Amino acid sequence: MASFQLRDYQQEAVSATLKHFRKTNESAVIVLPTGSGKSLVIAELARLAKQKILILTHVKELVEQNHQKYESYGLTAGIYSAGLKKKENQYQVTFASIQSAARNLSDFNHQYSLIIIDECHRVNMANDNKTQEQEPKPDQSQEQEDLNQYQKIIHQLKQSNPDVKLLGLTATPYRLGMGWIYRKHYRGIVRSESERPFEHCIYELPLRYLIKRQYLTEPKLVDATIEHYDFSSLCENSSGEYNATDVNHLLNKNHRVTQGIIEQVIELGDKRQGIMIFAATVDHAKEIFSYLPAQHSALITGATDSAERDHLIKAFKLKELKYLVNVSVLTTGFDAPHVDMIAILRPTQSVSLYQQIIGRGLRLCDNKKDCLVIDYTGNDFDLYQPEVGEKKPNSQSQPVQVSCPSCEFPNIFWGICDDDGHLVEHYGRRCQGLIEDQQCDYRFVFKECPHCGGENDIAARKCLQCSSVLVDPDDMLKKALQLKDAKVLRCAGTSLIEQEGKLKVIYHDEEGSELSESFDFSKANQVIIFNQLFSQRLKINLSTTKEIKIESIAQALKVSAYFPSPDFVIARKQKYYWKIKERLFDYQGRYRKANQL
């Protein structure tokens, strides 16, 4: 019987899980980097369990690895995996592949107290448009099939026990197109206002912690200065990735580049033990393989026969092969500690995939001092601090800290700074701080309801306060542009002047055109209208939570430097002048704003 002593952080993760589920049944996520020993955390949780539990993952290698760690305690558990030729569900603890479990739901009619999902970033939201019993369509990807299958088994177990608890473990708690897979972080951060597969992140360990304490190998990130691909001309598909046909078309024009890259990989990897090369497509992988020494190389794709795949992986782990080329099949569940060089030849918009790829080379091994990582595709990610809440708005953006004027929470948003490091603007919408388990309601930008004046997210279609339908600003602009008596001004700035005893607000576009409106502060209703239009946004620009009420022209002129400018102004032609009908603030849509290319 082997005995494992949990590391400090592994014990902390176990303790955090027990503490969480003692007070709530809400789903939870533990975030531990690749190579940190998630299987030991799973084994300890399974050992402590008093009732029946199910541990799910998507590849047989992880099923087997997690099962072995558990049985090393001298305990017995079942394996339910067609790939491992076992279907055992009579034990208190069962390690199962998601594919096998979802295809045999009737074998899981017992009452389970806990579901543990390894590599839980693969779990998507339940599809409300499909019943849980529907099979995936033949043309769906394997990953999409897996996602639907996770929801099937969760639904099945909830039929027997509505209080079954759900715990996920992953190194990368985000999905392309979704962002974070959980809503609330235990450090008081709201990751998403929308529903997510998991509710809470209850423990997280940064990659730097493990590298600094020499639990993982340090990645040596090197820019590809000699040869590289330029994928900037490609367009993302609906899933946020690049179309394989488009990638192949581009790569077919770059055979010399590919050959030059592989020549450099061979040269730089001369004294390396194991080299993994990640290709963009199957055709690309075959080309890469043709430039490598055949007797020391292997190629694995999704079409590789299972027995052949196992044979090649075994030979690679035994160092009988030095180069292993693959296409999207060895990013998770693959453990070869001697890998000390990673060559990335595939583009991706997924920070999760990027981290999983590099994670293949971070495990400790004898005679291994670091892992050389060369990216030949220009994937622009920070391995240690991935920013995944929102897609990077533009190339000038960087993570910036913005304190909430209401709760003082230090938000991290995308933003732009000047040459001296001062914040010019940021793209945050709402404060991410948690106050007594509720998200702070302060909004940096918002869409105002014309019916009740309530503040809503700029993408909202229905008012949160009064449930009125909010007009789509793109529809509003499109309609105005089609009218002969309407004028749409793309506002580049706003100025205030006093004219004939009134406050004149002038909106300027990029080419010098103007629209204007005046407010008579001697009339109470005009003061009310002015403050309804501008005071809340003026408060945001002044970074204050105090209510602001402008009651005189002098007071308005005093804060003119902070006066909010709309992105678009819509006016309708009257007999002798243009009357402003709409001011669109915080616009996000298909029309270009001022000072944008």
Side-chain angles (χ1 to χ4, degrees):
M1 171 181 169
S3 178
F4 290 95
Q5 179 69 39
L6 293 183
R7 294 171 179 170
D8 54 352
Y9 64 85
Q10 292 168 333
Q11 185 59 59
E12 288 171 0
V14 170
S15 299
T17 304
L18 299 177
K19 180 181 178 181
H20 174 78
F21 285 129
R22 280 172 184 154
K23 65 180 182 181
T24 180
N25 286 334
E26 292 184 341
S27 56
V29 173
I30 291 172
V31 181
L32 293 172
T34 300
S36 60
K38 292 193 293 293
S39 58
L40 281 174
V41 174
I42 292 172
E44 178 67 3
L45 288 170
R47 186 184 71 83
L48 294 172
K50 304 300 183 185
Q51 300 179 51
K52 208 168 177 67
I53 73 168
L54 179 65
I55 296 100
L56 295 168
T57 191
H58 66 292
V59 290
K60 66 179 183 179
E61 290 86 358
L62 279 175
V63 174
E64 193 169 37
Q65 175 183 309
N66 291 337
H67 178 264
Q68 288 174 350
K69 284 290 192 296
Y70 178 74
E71 292 212 327
S72 69
Y73 281 103
L75 303 171
T76 302
I79 288 180
Y80 199 98
S81 169
L84 297 173
K85 297 180 172 57
K86 292 182 179 180
K87 288 191 175 181
E88 306 165 336
N89 66 346
Q90 70 270 31
Y91 299 97
Q92 178 181 317
V93 178
T94 302
F95 292 84
S97 70
I98 182 59
Q99 297 87 354
S100 297
R103 290 168 186 162
N104 298 274
L105 293 175
S106 60
D107 286 350
F108 295 88
N109 288 326
H110 305 91
Q111 189 173 81
Y112 287 82
S113 64
L114 174 65
I115 307 169
I116 299 178
I117 300 178
D118 196 6
E119 306 292 352
C120 69
H121 57 276
R122 299 180 67 85
V123 180
N124 205 343
M125 299 299 301
N127 190 336
D128 296 332
N129 297 322
K130 298 174 67 175
T131 64
Q132 296 291 340
E133 287 71 28
Q134 281 183 287
E135 289 297 325
K137 296 178 181 178
D139 60 346
Q140 284 180 302
S141 68
Q142 180 62 50
E143 182 174 0
Q144 185 61 44
E145 183 179 343
D146 291 349
L147 301 178
N148 293 334
Q149 289 173 332
Y150 280 113
Q151 296 302 337
K152 284 183 181 180
I153 193 67
I154 292 171
H155 176 80
Q156 174 73 9
L157 268 57
K158 282 187 175 181
Q159 299 302 302
S160 301
N161 179 15
D163 294 327
V164 64
K165 298 173 176 63
L166 177 63
L167 175 71
L169 290 92
T170 182
T172 52
Y174 19 77
R175 285 186 57 80
L176 185 62
M178 176 189 291
W180 302 98
I181 63 171
Y182 61 86
R183 291 190 63 240
K184 302 173 184 176
H185 194 281
Y186 67 99
R187 292 196 180 101
I189 308 171
V190 176
R191 294 299 198 190
S192 174
E193 296 181 50
S194 304
E195 191 177 353
R196 287 292 180 263
F198 297 89
E199 187 68 15
H200 301 273
C201 173
I202 58 173
Y203 186 80
E204 181 171 20
L205 191 71
L207 180 61
R208 288 189 192 276
Y209 177 95
L210 294 176
I211 293 173
K212 185 176 180 180
R213 286 160 180 76
Q214 298 183 331
Y215 289 136
L216 289 179
T217 301
E218 182 177 3
K220 185 179 178 182
L221 305 171
V222 177
D223 289 330
T225 55
I226 297 177
E227 298 279 8
H228 67 276
Y229 300 115
D230 182 5
F231 292 101
S232 60
S233 62
L234 298 184
C235 297
E236 301 170 16
N237 59 26
S238 59
S239 64
E241 280 290 10
Y242 299 117
N243 182 276
T245 302
D246 295 339
V247 173
N248 273 330
H249 181 71
L250 185 149
L251 291 171
N252 285 336
K253 301 177 181 178
N254 288 273
H255 293 302
R256 290 178 59 186
V257 173
T258 302
Q259 185 173 0
I261 287 173
I262 299 306
E263 288 173 355
Q264 186 187 55
V265 168
I266 294 172
E267 179 184 351
L268 294 177
D270 180 52
K271 295 183 180 180
R272 296 283 167 173
Q273 301 180 64
I275 300 172
M276 293 187 70
I277 302 173
F278 291 83
T281 66
V282 173
D283 289 344
H284 186 218
K286 291 177 179 177
E287 182 190 358
I288 291 169
F289 182 73
S290 71
Y291 300 134
L292 291 166
Q295 67 273 27
H296 300 300
S297 308
L299 167 61
I300 296 178
T301 72
T304 304
D305 176 76
S306 179
E308 175 68 9
R309 167 177 161 157
D310 291 346
H311 170 72
L312 294 174
I313 289 176
K314 183 179 179 181
F316 181 72
K317 289 182 176 181
L318 291 173
K319 302 183 184 180
E320 295 170 2
L321 297 171
K322 182 172 182 177
Y323 304 94
L324 188 57
V325 185
N326 84 99
V327 186
S328 302
V329 291
L330 299 178
T331 54
T332 57
F334 178 80
D335 184 3
H338 75 289
V339 171
D340 55 0
M341 181 172 175
I342 302 283
I344 305 173
L345 279 71
R346 61 155 297 169
T348 181
Q349 294 294 305
S350 170
V351 64
S352 175
L353 177 60
Y354 180 78
Q355 287 188 303
Q356 293 284 357
I357 286 173
I358 295 178
R360 299 310 100 200
L362 301 188
R363 296 182 187 274
L364 298 177
C365 187
D366 293 338
N367 302 316
K368 178 179 175 181
K369 63 177 183 178
D370 59 30
C371 178
L372 180 63
V373 179
I374 308 180
D375 186 350
Y376 291 96
T377 64
N379 293 313
D380 186 21
F381 296 119
D382 185 332
L383 178 63
Y384 299 102
Q385 291 183 314
E387 184 68 31
V388 300
E390 297 287 344
K391 188 176 180 180
K392 192 173 184 178
N394 50 59
S395 59
Q396 292 80 36
S397 298
Q398 62 188 69
V400 296
Q401 182 171 304
V402 181
S403 295
C404 173
S406 178
C407 71
E408 298 183 347
F409 179 79
N411 295 277
I412 301 297
F413 296 133
W414 288 116
I416 296 177
C417 296
D418 60 21
D419 294 339
D420 296 322
H422 298 124
L423 180 64
V424 176
E425 63 175 324
H426 69 81
Y427 301 100
R429 296 186 183 183
R430 181 178 175 181
C431 176
Q432 298 172 337
L434 271 176
I435 304 174
E436 296 181 353
D437 206 38
Q438 296 295 319
Q439 184 173 4
C440 174
D441 60 7
Y442 186 86
R443 295 184 185 274
F444 294 93
V445 295
F446 58 89
K447 181 189 289 185
E448 186 174 1
C449 176
H451 306 283
C452 71
E455 295 179 11
N456 297 273
D457 185 77
I458 56 177
R461 295 302 179 91
K462 183 180 286 188
C463 178
L464 289 172
Q465 281 73 32
C466 69
S467 298
S468 297
V469 175
L470 301 175
V471 179
D472 187 332
D474 278 344
D475 292 341
M476 194 182 299
L477 288 170
K478 182 179 179 181
K479 183 178 179 181
L481 289 168
Q482 292 172 341
L483 297 173
K484 293 182 179 180
D485 66 340
K487 182 175 182 179
V488 177
L489 183 135
R490 184 179 286 114
C491 186
T494 305
S495 59
L496 307 181
I497 63 171
E498 182 177 3
Q499 188 177 79
E500 298 177 357
K502 298 178 182 179
L503 179 68
K504 187 175 183 179
V505 181
I506 307 170
Y507 305 103
H508 309 271
D509 75 0
E510 301 161 300
E511 299 174 351
S513 295
E514 297 177 355
L515 285 173
S516 64
E517 58 185 333
S518 296
F519 297 88
D520 188 346
F521 276 75
S522 66
K523 298 178 179 178
N525 66 322
Q526 290 279 292
V527 174
I528 292 172
I529 292 171
F530 180 87
N531 281 283
Q532 287 176 340
L533 290 172
F534 304 112
S535 286
Q536 186 62 21
R537 289 186 167 83
L538 186 58
K539 184 172 74 172
I540 292 173
N541 290 352
L542 290 168
S543 298
T544 179
T545 57
K546 295 180 180 179
E547 291 301 319
I548 293 178
K549 184 176 181 182
I550 304 299
E551 297 180 312
S552 68
I553 295 174
Q555 187 182 358
L557 294 174
K558 189 175 181 180
V559 295
S560 60
Y562 300 94
F563 197 79
S565 291
D567 295 306
F568 292 94
V569 179
I570 300 174
R572 297 291 293 273
K573 181 70 173 177
Q574 304 299 305
K575 192 171 184 179
Y576 299 112
Y577 69 101
W578 291 97
K579 183 175 182 179
I580 293 176
K581 292 290 187 179
E582 300 287 349
R583 307 152 199 84
L584 301 184
F585 292 91
D586 305 323
Y587 171 80
Q588 286 194 0
R590 65 176 180 267
Y591 293 99
R592 182 182 69 84
K593 295 194 291 188
N595 302 317
Q596 286 185 339
L597 296 177

